Amino acid sequence: MRHLRFRLLSRLTHSRTITLRRFHKNYNAAREEQSFKLPDGRTMGFAEYGNLEGTPAFFLHGAPGSRYDGIGLIDIAKKLNVRIICPDRPGHGLSSFQPDRKLGDYPNDISQLAKHLGTAQYNVFGQSGGGPYAVACAYGLPKDEILNVAVVAVAALSAQKWIPSVMRFLTNWYLKDDKRLQKSLYRMYKYLTEEDRAEITKPEAESLMMASLKAAYAQGPNGVIRDGQLYITPWDFELKDIQKEIKLFDGHKDDRTPLVFGRYYKANLPKAELIEFEDASHFTVNRHDEEIMSKLVGSGLPKRTPAIDM
C-alpha cells in the first residue's frame, strides 16, 4: 500500500499545475498566480481565495510555505464571507528575494499589497512560521489600516536554532527532485505525533504540502533560509512596544510550537488574548479554523479604496 501511494504521489507531483488541479478542483490561475511590482522594484506574488467581495484577511503562510497554503481555508472563507489574500514572502514562490530583510520590513510589503488591491482596511493572521510576521504587522502597520490580528501556533523568539540548517539541508538534498521530496516527507512523519501524522497524511493535505513546498523553493533556498535566520536572531522590535491587540490560538497537544510559546507571548504583549484548544495539535488546530476566522474578522466590511496600478 505504501509503495502504491508513493507511485500515486509521483504522478500527482509531476508538475506544479497538475498537482494543484488534481486535489484543488477549482484551481484558478488568474487568482492564484498573481504578482505586482513593489515601489523598490521587487515582485510580490500572492493568491486570493474565498469571496472577492468579502472582508479582506491577509493569511501569512508557515515555514516553509507559500501562497498555496490558503487553499485549505477556501470553504470557511466562503461561508464567512472572507477574502483570503495569501502572499509569498520574499524569496518564496513568485516573490523576489530580499537580502538582509528584517521582520520589521514585512509590514510595508503588506501595506503596499493592500493599496494595490484597493483595500484600505484589513485583517492579518499568521500560522506557525507566519506567526512572527503577523506579530510584526501588529507592530508596524498603520493603526487606520489594520483591523484585527490573529496568530495560530506561533513560533517563539530564538526558540528553534536548528531551523536554518534544516532548511538548507532540505534544499540541497531532498528538494532536488520529487522522489527525494516525498522520501523526506515520509521520514518526517515518524517524528510527528500520531494525531498529526493521521492529519497530514490525508491525500489532500499531503498533496497540498507537496505543492506548497515546491513553490516555496521555486527560486532556491535563500528565501526559506532567511526565514529561519530571522526566527532565531533578535527581532528589530520588542513585544512590549506593540499596542495592537493580538488574538493567540494554541493547542495543548502541539509539540512543534508548544503551548508555552503562546503563553510567553500572552505574558509579554501589552494587549493579548490567548485561546487554548485542549484537543488540538500542530496540524489538527486547523479543525478550529472557523472559530479562529470568526474571532478574527468579526462583522462588517472595512473601507475600500481604488486599486493602485503598480
Side-chain angles (χ1 to χ4, degrees), residues 85-104:
I85 305 160
C86 189
D88 288 321
R89 283 197 290 277
H92 299 62
L94 301 174
S95 293
S96 303
F97 179 61
Q98 184 182 14
D100 302 319
R101 65 181 169 96
K102 298 180 176 64
L103 277 174

Side-chain angles (χ1 to χ4, degrees), residues 203-240:
E204 288 191 0
E206 200 167 44
S207 297
L208 173 56
M209 180 175 285
M210 289 285 294
S212 191
L213 280 173
K214 285 163 69 71
Y217 286 94
Q219 303 176 50
N222 291 337
V224 177
I225 291 171
R226 185 59 183 157
D227 256 7
Q229 292 168 338
L230 289 176
Y231 298 143
I232 66 169
T233 55
W235 295 1
D236 51 333
F237 59 90
E238 296 188 29
L239 296 183
K240 65 180 179 63

Side-chain angles (χ1 to χ4, degrees), residues 255-266:
D255 67 339
R256 305 285 96 185
T257 54
L259 179 59
V260 65
F261 292 179
R263 289 176 176 172
Y264 173 86
Y265 280 91
K266 174 67 170 66

Side-chain angles (χ1 to χ4, degrees), residues 4-288:
L4 176 62
R5 186 174 65 171
F6 186 87
R7 289 197 298 272
L8 174 61
L9 275 173
S10 295
R11 291 195 295 272
L12 285 173
T13 57
H14 181 65
S15 73
R16 183 181 66 193
T17 302
I18 290 175
T19 301
L20 288 173
R21 286 177 176 168
R22 288 290 183 88
F23 77 93
H24 175 30
K25 295 179 181 179
N26 296 318
Y27 171 74
N28 184 337
R31 292 182 62 177
E32 298 175 56
E33 310 294 338
Q34 299 186 71
S35 65
F36 81 109
K37 288 289 184 182
L38 290 160
D40 64 4
R42 287 182 292 119
T43 297
M44 188 173 190
F46 65 98
E48 294 180 277
Y49 305 101
N51 184 355
L52 287 181
E53 299 301 319
T55 303
F58 285 89
F59 176 51
L60 311 184
H61 62 74
S66 73
R67 65 193 180 280
Y68 297 144
D69 284 13
I71 291 171
L73 296 167
I74 290 176
D75 291 342
I76 292 170
K78 288 180 178 178
K79 180 177 180 179
L80 297 179
N81 192 33
V82 177
R83 176 189 187 184
I84 299 291
I85 305 160
C86 189
D88 288 321
R89 283 197 290 277
H92 299 62
L94 301 174
S95 293
S96 303
F97 179 61
Q98 184 182 14
D100 302 319
R101 65 181 169 96
K102 298 180 176 64
L103 277 174
D105 296 330
Y106 198 62
N108 184 59
D109 286 0
I110 295 298
S111 183
Q112 292 298 329
L113 176 54
K115 289 181 174 66
H116 170 72
L117 294 172
T119 302
Q121 293 180 310
Y122 47 86
N123 303 279
V124 175
F125 70 118
Q127 184 160 351
S128 191
Y133 290 92
V135 173
C137 286
Y139 172 76
L141 282 170
K143 293 180 180 179
D144 60 345
E145 289 186 25
I146 190 167
L147 296 172
N148 301 296
V149 183
V151 174
V152 184
V154 65
L157 293 74
S158 304
Q160 294 156 308
K161 298 185 181 299
W162 44 265
I163 289 177
S165 58
V166 168
M167 289 176 172
R168 185 177 290 109
F169 178 72
L170 276 171
T171 304
N172 291 339
W173 177 249
Y174 288 119
L175 291 174
K176 287 185 176 180
D177 59 56
D178 289 347
K179 289 184 178 180
R180 285 182 177 179
L181 176 54
Q182 291 157 13
K183 287 180 180 178
S184 75
L185 291 181
Y186 287 130
R187 291 181 180 180
M188 180 192 75
Y189 295 158
K190 69 181 181 181
Y191 297 107
L192 299 178
T193 64
E194 185 175 341
E195 269 190 293
D196 278 340
R197 187 162 53 249
E199 186 72 17
I200 205 64
T201 54
K202 293 177 180 177
E204 288 191 0
E206 200 167 44
S207 297
L208 173 56
M209 180 175 285
M210 289 285 294
S212 191
L213 280 173
K214 285 163 69 71
Y217 286 94
Q219 303 176 50
N222 291 337
V224 177
I225 291 171
R226 185 59 183 157
D227 256 7
Q229 292 168 338
L230 289 176
Y231 298 143
I232 66 169
T233 55
W235 295 1
D236 51 333
F237 59 90
E238 296 188 29
L239 296 183
K240 65 180 179 63
D241 296 326
I242 299 174
Q243 295 306 309
K244 185 70 181 177
E245 182 181 4
I246 298 178
K247 293 180 173 62
L248 304 160
F249 300 88
D250 266 300
H252 282 215
K253 298 181 180 181
D254 191 337
D255 67 339
R256 305 285 96 185
T257 54
L259 179 59
V260 65
F261 292 179
R263 289 176 176 172
Y264 173 86
Y265 280 91
K266 174 67 170 66
N268 287 277
L269 286 164
K271 300 176 183 178
E273 177 186 6
L274 175 61
I275 294 92
E276 300 180 10
F277 300 119
E278 292 186 1
D279 63 336
S281 59
H282 193 69
F283 291 105
T284 64
V285 72
N286 293 338
R287 296 172 186 171
H288 296 277

Side-chain angles (χ1 to χ4, degrees), residues 284-296:
T284 64
V285 72
N286 293 338
R287 296 172 186 171
H288 296 277
D289 278 346
E290 184 171 343
E291 177 183 348
I292 292 168
M293 197 175 297
S294 295
K295 289 182 179 295
L296 172 72

